[in-house]
């Protein structure tokens, strides 16, 4: 449990464990079997299967080369290094996520249990991808930081879950400032739903990312917001209105 961390990855290991038993494969002990699982194609197979669907619907261009490489024979060293990075990033995600839950509870606005359960129902690989986008903030130019920017990420635990990551603007009056996005998150998720109609997503999350300077050091603190909307099919007229709205915004 210390190494797998997430319920979904633990379940995947138990399925792997069951297959070893039913096929009468021998192994030395549970730790050896876990190491075998983490460095085998089985661990990454779910992410690859989801990415195959995303490619099919042209939501991404290709399956990530590092996943394919990690499943190739003779790439155990690469797979082990990738797993170490995934586990490290997952630890970072849980720290941010626990802080989010704590802050919401202390503000007497706790996150809905169903929303928390859905976010917990993820894989380490998805968490690692989310953290990679957060870490990439340090490489962004000053204009992007000042005006804010948006990134997209999909769940690699299951097809049909989409994350809109909004990196809040440093400009307090910008359209992507924390105050503006928090006040307009329902509209932003509705627009995202209108864009994600081929196919319709089941779960849509807006993850707000705010970088704040530490009061007692030169470091920065990262704070998250999380807003949710279930995906829904909309009629052609409504979708056309959203497209026209998007065109108007692009002209401003």
């Amino acid at each position: 449990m210390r190494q797998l961390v997430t319920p979904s990855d633990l379940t995947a290991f138990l399925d792997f464990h069951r297959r070893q038993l039913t096929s009468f494969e021998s192994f030395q002990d549970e730790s050896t079997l876990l190491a075998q699982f983490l460095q085998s194609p089985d661990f990454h197979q779910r992410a690859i299967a989801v990415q195959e669907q995303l490619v099919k619907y042209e939501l991404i261009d290709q399956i990530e080369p590092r996943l394919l490489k990690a499943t190739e024979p003779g790439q155990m060293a690469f797979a082990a290094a990738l797993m170490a990075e995934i586990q490290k990033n997952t630890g970072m995600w849980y720290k941010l996520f626990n802080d989010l839950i704590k802050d919401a509870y202390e503000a007497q606005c706790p996150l809905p249990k169903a929303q928390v359960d859905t976010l917990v129902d993820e894989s380490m690989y998805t968490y690692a991808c989310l953290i990679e986008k957060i870490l990439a903030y340090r490489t962004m130019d000053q204009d992007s930081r000042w005006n804010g920017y948006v990134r997209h990420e999909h769940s690699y635990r299951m097809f049909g879950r989409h994350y809109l990551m909004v990196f809040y603007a440093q400009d307090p009056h910008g359209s992507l400032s924390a105050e503006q996005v928090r006040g307009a998150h329902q509209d932003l998720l509705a627009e995202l739903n209108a864009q994600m109609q081929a196919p319709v997503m089941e779960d849509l999350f807006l993850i707000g990312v705010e970088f704040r300077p530490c009061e007692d050091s030169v470091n920065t603190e990262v704070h998250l917001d999380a807003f949710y909307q279930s995906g829904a099919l909309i009629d052609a007229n409504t979708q056309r209105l959203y497209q026209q709205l998007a065109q108007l915004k692009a002209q401003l």
Side-chain angles (χ1 to χ4, degrees):
M1 290 184 67
R2 286 195 302 271
Q3 293 191 62
L4 291 169
V5 184
T6 74
S8 68
D9 288 302
L10 178 59
T11 301
F13 170 66
L14 293 176
D15 288 339
F16 177 78
H17 185 281
R18 183 185 298 111
R19 291 196 299 273
Q20 300 300 304
L21 293 177
T22 56
S23 60
F24 298 101
E25 296 287 341
S26 61
F27 52 90
Q28 182 176 349
D29 52 35
E30 300 296 330
S31 297
T32 303
L33 186 64
L34 175 60
Q36 180 183 341
F37 170 68
L38 293 176
Q39 297 176 18
S40 74
D42 296 75
F43 178 83
H44 298 296
Q45 199 53 52
R46 286 181 305 165
I48 291 174
V50 171
Q51 291 195 12
E52 288 174 344
Q53 289 183 277
L54 294 172
V55 171
K56 174 184 176 181
Y57 289 106
E58 300 182 347
L59 296 173
I60 62 174
D61 295 329
Q62 63 179 0
I63 299 172
E64 291 184 54
R66 64 180 177 181
L67 282 182
L68 297 176
K69 183 176 179 179
T71 62
E72 293 175 357
Q75 294 292 340
M76 292 185 63
F78 177 83
L82 177 60
M83 176 51 61
E85 188 71 14
I86 290 171
Q87 290 175 316
K88 181 181 73 173
N89 286 353
T90 297
M92 295 173 62
W93 169 263
Y94 269 113
K95 183 180 184 306
L96 294 176
F97 185 55
N98 289 335
D99 287 344
L100 164 64
I101 294 175
K102 179 182 176 182
D103 291 345
Y105 181 79
E106 290 178 349
Q108 298 184 344
C109 296
L111 294 179
K113 182 180 183 300
Q115 180 176 321
V116 173
D117 289 346
T118 303
L119 283 170
V120 170
D121 183 32
E122 267 298 354
S123 65
M124 288 193 289
Y125 191 75
T126 302
Y127 294 148
C129 292
L130 293 171
I131 285 295
E132 285 173 351
K133 285 182 166 51
I134 293 175
L135 293 176
Y137 181 84
R138 60 191 173 192
T139 67
M140 299 302 295
D141 58 84
Q142 186 53 45
D143 285 344
S144 296
R145 295 185 183 191
W146 179 253
N147 296 312
Y149 61 95
V150 172
R151 291 290 181 267
H152 292 266
E153 189 58 83
H154 291 273
S155 168
Y156 298 117
R157 150 82 170 86
M158 58 176 289
F159 181 78
R161 185 177 298 162
H162 188 89
Y163 295 93
L164 175 68
M165 302 184 72
V166 181
F167 291 80
Y168 293 146
Q170 294 176 348
D171 179 6
H173 305 294
S175 60
L176 291 181
S177 68
E179 183 178 359
Q180 290 284 346
V181 172
R182 287 165 182 157
H185 70 270
Q186 290 181 325
D187 293 336
L188 292 171
L189 285 170
E191 290 178 20
L192 179 63
N193 180 62
Q195 297 169 16
M196 308 298 289
Q197 290 287 303
V200 176
M201 297 287 104
E202 293 183 20
D203 301 303
L204 299 171
F205 279 95
L206 188 159
I207 305 295
V209 185
E210 182 177 15
F211 286 78
R212 302 175 187 172
C214 293
E215 296 181 358
D216 56 351
S217 73
V218 296
N219 297 322
T220 56
E221 294 180 348
V222 182
H223 294 262
L224 300 182
D225 290 320
F227 306 102
Y228 173 81
Q229 177 179 301
S230 58
L233 180 66
I234 60 176
D235 60 71
N237 289 333
T238 303
Q239 190 168 2
R240 188 160 48 251
L241 288 174
Y242 275 113
Q243 291 172 348
Q244 293 172 351
L245 179 61
Q247 292 172 356
L248 288 173
K249 287 184 176 181
Q251 295 172 4
L252 295 178

